[in-house]
Amino acid sequence: MNALKSANGKEEKADNEMRRQLLALLFAVLVTFIIAVLAYGFFLLHAETACYLAASSIYTAIWPTNLQDADVLLGAGYARPDSCILLSTRSVISAVMLIYIFYLFVSQIWIKDASYVPKLIPISVFLILGYLYTSTKVISTEPASIYTISTHSGVAVNLIKSYVKICGLYLGISLFIQRMFALLRLKYNTGRER
């Protein structure tokens, strides 16, 4: 009877830990949205700052497709301040999510979650591949569709689409990291209380 209570207690603890990790991920996506809105507002008021940041290849490369999109935007007649705002804000979004990924790697050292949810790993791989494919496409010079980023759309519309793609990619990466570490802990029994 005590063994059953102990097993149920460990399962409940693992479920709570997994839930906590997923809530932290959703919180990171929400914080990223808030920071993106604030950055967009700041860059609207200070376009010269956005252009200064967009001129830095290191800053722009935080979201790698910015490097190829910068030339497309300017070649397609996108206004220079709008181009700078778009590229700078996308780098901010990516930077915030990269900070979360770094936190996630470090936090996996102390987490005791050893529950294996078999379907989450393939789902995360599907998210990664899907968003990697759509996120690495060059900005379209054709009229916009519902999901493509286009030079025919305004900055706000392109940022919303970029936000979904950037956060979708990092969401998949985060789920993959969480579940792979949980699988390793389960396999090597490192998540169990000693």
Side-chain angles (χ1 to χ4, degrees):
M1 186 72 163
N2 284 339
L4 182 60
K5 281 184 183 179
S6 175
N8 286 340
K10 286 181 183 178
E11 279 183 35
E12 188 175 316
K13 201 174 198 181
D15 287 344
N16 287 340
E17 183 59 40
M18 188 171 82
R19 222 174 278 116
R20 188 198 65 75
Q21 288 184 60
L22 291 176
L23 287 174
L25 173 57
L26 294 176
F27 181 72
V29 170
L30 178 64
V31 167
T32 302
F33 179 76
I34 292 167
I35 290 173
V37 169
L38 292 173
Y40 174 65
F42 177 79
F43 291 144
L44 275 177
L45 297 174
H46 304 285
E48 67 281 353
T49 304
C51 287
Y52 175 77
L53 292 172
S56 167
S57 61
I58 294 171
Y59 176 77
T60 307
I62 293 173
W63 182 244
T65 59
N66 278 346
L67 297 173
Q68 63 189 7
D69 290 343
D71 296 331
V72 174
L73 288 169
L74 293 176
Y78 215 67
R80 188 173 189 292
D82 289 347
S83 174
C84 294
I85 291 169
L86 177 63
L87 297 174
S88 294
T89 307
R90 286 177 13 165
S91 290
V92 167
I93 294 168
S94 184
V96 173
M97 289 305 293
L98 281 171
I99 290 168
Y100 172 73
I101 295 290
F102 178 74
Y103 158 79
L104 182 63
F105 267 116
V106 172
S107 71
Q108 292 300 310
I109 296 168
W110 295 280
I111 291 181
K112 298 290 184 195
D113 170 25
S115 56
Y116 174 62
V117 182
K119 293 180 180 143
L120 280 181
I121 291 176
I123 289 171
S124 66
V125 170
F126 177 75
L127 279 171
I128 292 168
L129 294 176
Y131 280 110
L132 198 58
Y133 172 73
T134 62
S135 298
T136 56
K137 285 186 173 182
V138 178
I139 287 182
S140 173
T141 54
E142 302 293 318
S145 71
I146 194 164
Y147 199 65
T148 60
I149 298 169
S150 170
T151 56
H152 293 275
S153 298
V155 176
V157 172
N158 283 335
L159 277 175
I160 291 168
K161 292 176 182 179
S162 294
Y163 171 81
V164 169
K165 290 179 180 187
I166 294 168
C167 286
L169 178 63
Y170 286 121
L171 180 89
I173 292 169
S174 299
L175 282 175
F176 184 76
I177 291 168
Q178 288 174 356
R179 295 302 92 209
M180 286 306 291
F181 272 97
L183 178 61
L184 291 172
R185 283 189 291 270
L186 178 68
K187 186 174 180 177
Y188 297 107
N189 289 327
T190 59
R192 301 230 167 98
E193 297 295 322
R194 294 175 194 181

